[in-house]
Structure formats: C-alpha cells, structure tokens
Amino acid sequence: MRVLLIGSGGREHALAWKIAASPLLTKLYASPGNPGIGREAELVKLDIADHSAVAAFCQEQKIDLVVVGPEGPLVAGIADDLRAWGIRVFGPSKAAARLEGSKGFTKDLCAKYDIPTAAYGRFGDLASAKAYVEKMGAPIVIKADGLAAGKGVTVAMTLEEALAALDACFDGSFGAAGAEVVVEEFLTGEEASFFCLCDGTTALPFGTAQDHKRVGEGDTGPNTGGMGAYSPAPVMTPEMVERTMREIIEPTMRGMAELGAPFAGVLFAGLMITDKGPKLIEYNTRFGDPECQVLMMRLKDDLLVLLNAAVDGQLAHSSARWRDEAALTVVMAARGYPGTPEKGSVIRGLDEAAADGAQIFHAGTAINGGALVANGGRVLNVTATGATVGEAQSQAYAALDRIDWPQGFCRRDIGWQAVARGKVGAS
Ligand code: AMP
C-alpha cells in the first residue's frame, strides 16, 4: 500500500513508525513531517489547507490511504474533500469532527442521548453567560466552543477567575472559537483517556492512557499540550471500559449515525472517573499527543490492517491486541515552553539514548546545517516499555539522561500516580 500521513508532531512520528512496520506498506509519504518522521517516510511539501492540491498529489502518487494525524485539517473537512476525489481516508468527516470542533455540539448530543457528562449551559453573549456563572458559583469550568489549541478551557476555582475567563472568550482572545462558550459543572475524580477506532457503525476499544498536562512536577504550573503519558490507565479496569462503551461510546456512535454524521476515525474520550462512574469531559477526533506514542508502543497488531478495516467498515470483524507491558513517554521541551520556547539549540545523543530499546519520537525538531535542532515547544518524546509503569518510567528516564541537550527540560515525575498505586501495568 502507498500511504500519505498528514502531520508533523510526535503523534505522527509514532504513527509513521508503526505504519512503516506493516508488511502491507510499499511506500510511506508524510507531509509536512519532521526529521524523525523522515527516517520512516519520504517527506513532501504540500499545502495541507489546499485540499485539491493534496488530492492531486494522491492521484499522481497513486496513494491508497491517507491518514490524518491532527484535528485542524479534519475540522476543516479534508476527509470529505479527499473522499469526493475517490481517495480513501482514515479520519472523520467535517460533520463528524464536530465532536471535537464544537464543545456545544457534543454537550447537546450528550443531553439528547443521555450520555453522562457535566451539567452545562451554552451562551453566545457575555451578559447571559455571566448571569449563569453568578447563579451557579465557583468552582466552575469555562470553555471556548471551538478549537483553541488546548487553551480555551479555564477551570475556575473562584468567581473572579470564571468572569475573567468569560471576558477573555468574548473579547476575542480565542478568535472565532470563543464566540460561543460552554459553562460547565466542575467534576471531581481521576481523569483517563480512552480511545476507540471507529468505522461509522462499530467502535473498537483501542487502549487507555493517562497524561500530564501541567508543565511542573506534582502537576503544577500552566497547562501544556502534554508533558508525558503512560498506558494502560490503571483506573480503566475492564469493568470501567465496559461501562464507558455502553454508557458513552455506543450512544455517541448511534447518535452520530442518526444525525447523518456517522463517526469513522479515532474517537478519543477524555473521561472523569467519578464516584458515580465515567463521565465525558470532552471528545477529540484523533489520537492524543503524546498518548498515541504509548499506544503505538503497546499495539501488537498491524496498524495498517486496522486502519483499513476502519475505512472499509469492517471493524466488527477486527480485534486489537496489546502487549502486557506498560509504556511511558516523557516529553522533552525547549526552555521557555509553554510560553515562547527557545529555538535552534543543538540536540545530540539520540542514537545512544535509544540503544536499550527506547523510542525517541520527534515532535518539534528540524535539521540546521546538518545538526538536529529544537524547533518548537515540545521537542522529543522519550518512550519506553516495562513490566510495570514504574519500570517503563525507569527505562524512559535512563534513555532521556543519555540525551545531550542542555537547553531542554522535562518533568521527572511522569507516571507518578500509577507508580504510587503500586499497580502492575499489564491490562
Ligand atoms: P479539555 O480541553 O476539555 O480536555 O479540558 C482541559 C482540562 O480541563 C481537562 O483535562 C480537565 O482536567 C479539565 N476539565 C475540563 N472540564 C472539566 C470539568 N467539567 N470539571 C473538572 N475539570 C475539567
């Protein structure tokens, strides 16, 4: 098969690595890719926002499957446009990607299909949003409706914070994404990420993970795209997975089909495991980054076979098998992140770091004058497996400590909750 992978982060490097291991693959292209992806794929420069240019490339190169990594192109309708040209795409339609692209859409779907989630209100103007927040009191959660690169959510512990967050949404801080807001009940519990591969009808459970969003150790400091993750999530016991499928995922699949927007692609449920059971915090319509990295390390099966089954509506006949080991990834970021990261510092020692079986996935890297340099906030994902989360953690940090990059930093406590539980990683 000839495959085009769209994206340039650590998530796409992990996907490229796993797709490249498939015996079905004859040629892998990636656009725009990064130097790590360039070891698995031929990188091509395409304007991803120009869907007809992407389609023309696919036709010229006889691409059999396009795999879309990030949410932006999906919400912009790349899957629909490529399909209209007869090109097979793994990823949801624009209408189905509303599960990620509009928080209000997802909340209304939950209300209609009785899917457990936080109580909420949707508002298109500041005055009525403020009145609702004042009535409900803090803690309370304010969310810009649209895509805001992970920055549109404020968990407000005080009324002042909540009102300031509403001001920020309506004064245009999040652009069009903030023209409407969702105000939500504050949920307590343990968070987990749950993934399914979907073909429009069937949702196939596709692993669990937990991530660390805060930049600082002990889960402190500003939010980031994610500083590390591990899989499986101990809180996602087989019983919790079964409840999540029955109470959240299956009604979502039914609801989307009834709306004429059947969901095909990766459905990534951000869950709060409360004392009443799993509640949906949000949906994403693609793999998590860095959750994808740990999932790919644990997946035993051929990813390309499963992606094909999803595209062909054949997931009812598929299964996904996982290694018993846990996997853990630590993000190395450039100094300054999540503010303005320093770019251009030279990174050395990656081959030595990977010598004991760790995978170093590239996120924000570039080649400059023959040297590998930092070129973004999150730069590397140092990923390892072990019999337990604790063992995977030791392996990942042992690898990371062999990387020669003084301008990089990481959290030293990725996986602490799972390690503290003392639970074995096998699911
Ligand atoms: P989201 O972008 O919707 O995943 O939100 C980012 C983070 O905000 C989540 O990972 C949670 O930690 C937190 N969060 C979102 N919604 C709620 C809620 N209703 N109650 C408590 N925390 C929340």
Side-chain angles (χ1 to χ4, degrees):
M1 286 188 71
R2 298 171 63 79
V3 177
L4 169 65
L5 172 67
I6 292 176
S8 65
R11 166 182 49 212
E12 287 77 23
H13 188 180
L15 291 172
W17 171 72
K18 194 67 187 159
I19 291 170
S22 170
L24 292 181
L25 186 77
T26 48
K27 177 80 188 177
L28 179 60
Y29 291 100
S31 183
N34 67 34
I37 298 172
R39 293 173 94 158
E40 312 287 355
E42 182 176 334
L43 304 186
V44 284
K45 282 206 175 76
L46 295 171
D47 177 1
I48 302 303
D50 181 351
H51 300 169
S52 37
V54 177
F57 172 84
C58 292
Q59 291 201 324
E60 267 159 39
Q61 296 301 328
K62 302 192 167 36
I63 297 297
D64 299 299
L65 179 69
V66 178
V67 179
V68 185
E71 62 277 18
L74 294 168
V75 171
I78 195 168
D80 312 63
D81 290 342
L82 294 182
R83 281 184 198 122
W85 286 62
I87 297 160
R88 294 170 74 246
V89 186
F90 177 78
S93 67
K94 185 175 181 169
R98 280 180 295 172
L99 284 174
E100 175 158 5
S102 168
K103 293 187 189 292
F105 171 82
T106 298
K107 297 299 285 191
D108 288 353
L109 184 91
C110 289
K112 186 165 174 198
Y113 290 92
D114 221 6
I115 295 167
T117 187
Y120 74 106
R122 282 179 85 166
F123 303 95
D125 70 280
L126 183 60
S128 46
K130 280 197 166 168
Y132 182 79
V133 164
E134 274 159 2
K135 186 175 103 202
M136 304 305 283
I140 196 158
V141 183
I142 311 294
K143 301 184 172 183
D145 180 76
L147 290 187
K151 297 198 176 79
V153 175
T154 303
V155 178
M157 300 315 285
T158 64
L159 202 56
E160 293 68 44
E161 265 182 276
L163 296 174
L166 287 177
D167 284 332
C169 284
F170 286 108
D171 79 9
S173 297
F174 305 113
E180 184 176 326
V181 299
V182 170
V183 180
E184 259 183 33
E185 166 200 8
F186 173 74
L187 298 174
T188 52
E190 186 168 349
E191 283 185 56
S193 301
F194 179 64
F195 298 86
C196 288
L197 283 187
C198 304
D199 65 5
T201 311
T202 301
L204 176 70
F206 204 63
T208 66
Q210 280 173 303
D211 74 339
H212 296 267
K213 282 263 182 279
R214 304 298 192 96
V215 74
E217 274 153 30
D219 294 319
T220 55
N223 260 322
T224 69
M227 293 300 289
Y230 53 92
S231 170
V235 70
M236 292 305 287
T237 57
E239 188 233 343
M240 200 57 73
V241 168
E242 192 273 324
R243 277 192 72 177
T244 304
M245 289 301 293
R246 183 162 35 89
E247 296 175 15
I248 298 179
I249 305 294
E250 282 161 10
T252 299
M253 293 296 287
R254 259 197 320 277
M256 294 302 285
E258 281 176 23
L259 287 174
F263 188 88
V266 176
L267 189 57
F268 162 5
L271 301 174
M272 188 73 86
I273 308 303
T274 70
D275 51 11
K276 294 200 188 69
K279 290 197 177 187
L280 181 72
I281 298 177
E282 63 158 2
Y283 274 130
N284 296 301
T285 59
R286 35 76 193 175
F287 282 113
D289 186 349
E291 291 91 334
C292 184
Q293 291 79 318
V294 285
L295 292 180
M296 291 305 112
M297 292 290 273
R298 294 188 58 234
L299 179 63
K300 274 191 195 168
D301 290 299
D302 183 334
L303 179 65
L304 208 40
V305 169
L306 289 165
L307 298 182
N308 274 317
V311 171
D312 295 338
Q314 293 297 317
L315 284 178
H317 314 290
S318 301
S319 63
R321 290 167 308 154
W322 304 91
R323 291 185 213 290
D324 286 338
E325 295 91 42
L328 182 139
T329 188
V330 182
V331 171
M332 286 193 88
R335 264 196 319 236
Y337 180 76
T340 308
E342 291 172 19
K343 288 192 180 174
S345 53
V346 175
I347 302 163
R348 296 188 185 87
L350 294 194
D351 289 340
E352 294 84 331
D356 288 338
Q359 291 294 330
I360 319 287
F361 296 118
H362 291 222
T365 64
I367 302 287
N368 189 358
L372 186 71
V373 299
N375 189 40
R378 297 188 297 163
V379 175
L380 299 170
N381 312 136
V382 184
T383 316
T385 55
T388 61
V389 173
E391 238 181 85
Q393 184 192 54
S394 310
Q395 293 294 323
Y397 282 111
L400 185 144
D401 287 334
R402 290 197 285 265
I403 296 175
D404 175 10
W405 181 34
Q407 294 84 357
F409 75 94
C410 68
R411 278 180 58 167
R412 301 290 317 183
D413 66 345
I414 300 303
W416 67 267
Q417 305 100 318
V419 173
R421 271 175 191 250
K423 213 163 167 176
V424 286
S427 61

